Amino acid sequence: MGLMSRFNMIVKSKASKMLDKAEDPRETLDYSYEKQLEMLQKVRRGVADVATSKKRLELQASKLEQSVAKLDTQARTALQQNREDLARVALERKKGVQIQLQSLDEQRAQLQTEQDKLVVAEQRLTAKVEAFRTRKETIKAQYTAAEAQTKIGEAITGVSEDMADVGLAIERAENKTETMRARAGAIDELIESGVLEDVTDSRDSIDRELEQISVAGGVEDELTRLKAELGAGDGAAGQIESGEEKP
Amino acid sequence: MIVRILGEGQYRLDDAAFAKAGEFDDRVQAAAEAGDEAAFAAALSELLDVITASGTELAADEFEGSDAVIPGHGTTLAEARDLLSSEGLIPN
């Protein structure tokens, strides 16, 4: 059996699930129309879900881009202070973040494709549902019960297949966003655990080391200045504040 | 004969065109069985071309069941397998 037949069976089986028949065939029309409207809501929600997931990836990417800029600055600062070891650590981390960024970009592009497909699916189904609404009213107004039965069968079989088609697109997009969410969650965890240095959060170890170097340098400078002052014979410099007295 | 391209609409094909599509369908099937991703993509793309070039797209107000269904442009072998296995028709 070729692929065309296999896919046909899948769509037919999904479509048949949407073919619940009412007692009065004319009611079947209204029932199917309601289902179509529900499916339209579903595909619109699907578009919104994909957009939300994409937004999350974009936020993460912008955080990671900040990390790259920060690590770059750290590497320069470290080199200026002759700390090639620290500069190396910063550059290694930068490389790691850049790899994550690249994968985020790829995922974002995939979600964009899914979103575009769902938007097209929504437009198609909207046109179909509108055509069905018109057909439904025509059938109700013009045909005798026997004629109506045939016309109703055709219209509903046709539109059910469209709904199955859109249903598959929604399922696919949901699967993709689910996978993305899991990956996005993993990156969030990495950022939180400090592996990927979130710049909006507390400072990382490179920062602390650089700060210590700068603190040490500052203390030396201050000592030199104080010594110079004392050497100049200024007695006030000896005044040291005492702590709180106990009662 | 009516062929639906998933996500892309339905096309009406005459018997000759439908037979030709069947030949290309066999190639897609063979590539899928061989697990050849590149051959699958190429064969599917050719099959889609045959259908869109030789068929006439159905309008929104034509309600017809399809005689055959194929996945749309850019469907990967993995995605096609996912679609098929969701109904348990073929094992992975």
Side-chain angles (χ1 to χ4, degrees), chain A residues 142-154:
Chain A
Q142 294 182 347
Y143 295 92
T144 63
E147 281 170 327
Q149 199 115 22
T150 319
K151 295 285 169 194
I152 288 166
E154 285 169 5

Side-chain angles (χ1 to χ4, degrees), chain A residues 4-37:
Chain A
M4 296 202 294
S5 310
R6 283 185 175 169
F7 279 104
N8 197 22
M9 280 171 67
I10 285 166
V11 169
K12 289 284 187 295
S13 114
K14 290 206 182 271
S16 73
K17 287 177 189 153
M18 298 174 184
L19 276 173
D20 295 319
K21 289 200 177 77
E23 290 273 316
D24 179 346
R26 286 163 206 239
E27 275 173 29
T28 312
L29 283 174
D30 290 325
Y31 180 71
S32 172
Y33 183 62
E34 266 172 46
K35 285 235 170 184
Q36 291 161 36
L37 295 181

Side-chain angles (χ1 to χ4, degrees), chain A residues 1-14 17 36 110 114 117 120-121 124 127-133 135 151 153-166 168-169 171-172 175-176, chain B residues 3-11 18 21-22 25-26 28-29 32-33 40 47 51 57-71 73-76 79-87 89-90:
Chain A
M1 183 166 54
L3 277 196
M4 296 202 294
S5 310
R6 283 185 175 169
F7 279 104
N8 197 22
M9 280 171 67
I10 285 166
V11 169
K12 289 284 187 295
S13 114
K14 290 206 182 271
K17 287 177 189 153
Q36 291 161 36
Q110 279 183 36
E114 288 309 312
K117 279 184 183 166
V120 171
R124 284 187 169 282
K128 201 85 195 177
V129 168
E130 184 49 29
F132 184 89
R133 195 186 60 79
R135 179 72 56 95
K151 295 285 169 194
E154 285 169 5
I156 289 179
T157 305
V159 84
S160 295
E161 211 181 279
D162 280 292
M163 293 213 285
D165 186 346
V166 171
L168 282 170
E171 267 175 44
R172 215 178 88 119
N175 287 343
K176 286 247 160 108
Chain B
V3 178
R4 172 180 294 274
I5 301 175
L6 286 177
E8 299 175 27
Q10 290 170 291
Y11 289 81
F18 190 73
D25 181 43
D26 290 341
V28 180
Q29 171 75 11
E33 273 166 12
F40 177 83
L47 173 58
I51 289 160
E57 191 171 3
L58 264 66
D61 62 356
E62 290 183 83
F63 296 93
E64 303 264 6
S66 303
D67 300 295
V69 176
I70 57 165
H73 284 89
T75 305
T76 63
E79 286 165 347
R81 280 191 175 141
D82 274 353
L83 277 167
L84 291 170
S85 66
S86 75
E87 288 296 308
L89 283 180
I90 53 163

Side-chain angles (χ1 to χ4, degrees), chain A residues 50-61:
Chain A
V50 174
T52 306
S53 294
K54 212 178 68 191
K55 187 81 205 157
R56 184 172 175 194
L57 291 184
E58 281 161 3
L59 283 173
Q60 286 190 327

Side-chain angles (χ1 to χ4, degrees), chain A residues 219-231:
Chain A
V219 168
E220 286 306 316
D221 290 348
E222 189 85 1
L223 267 177
T224 313
R225 193 176 60 78
L226 278 177
K227 279 178 188 165
E229 276 178 21
L230 287 171

Side-chain angles (χ1 to χ4, degrees), chain A residues 41-69:
Chain A
Q41 288 300 318
K42 225 176 144 183
V43 71
R44 282 173 192 148
R45 264 204 309 277
V47 172
D49 280 352
V50 174
T52 306
S53 294
K54 212 178 68 191
K55 187 81 205 157
R56 184 172 175 194
L57 291 184
E58 281 161 3
L59 283 173
Q60 286 190 327
S62 101
K63 274 188 182 179
L64 294 185
E65 269 157 20
Q66 289 175 38
S67 286
V68 168

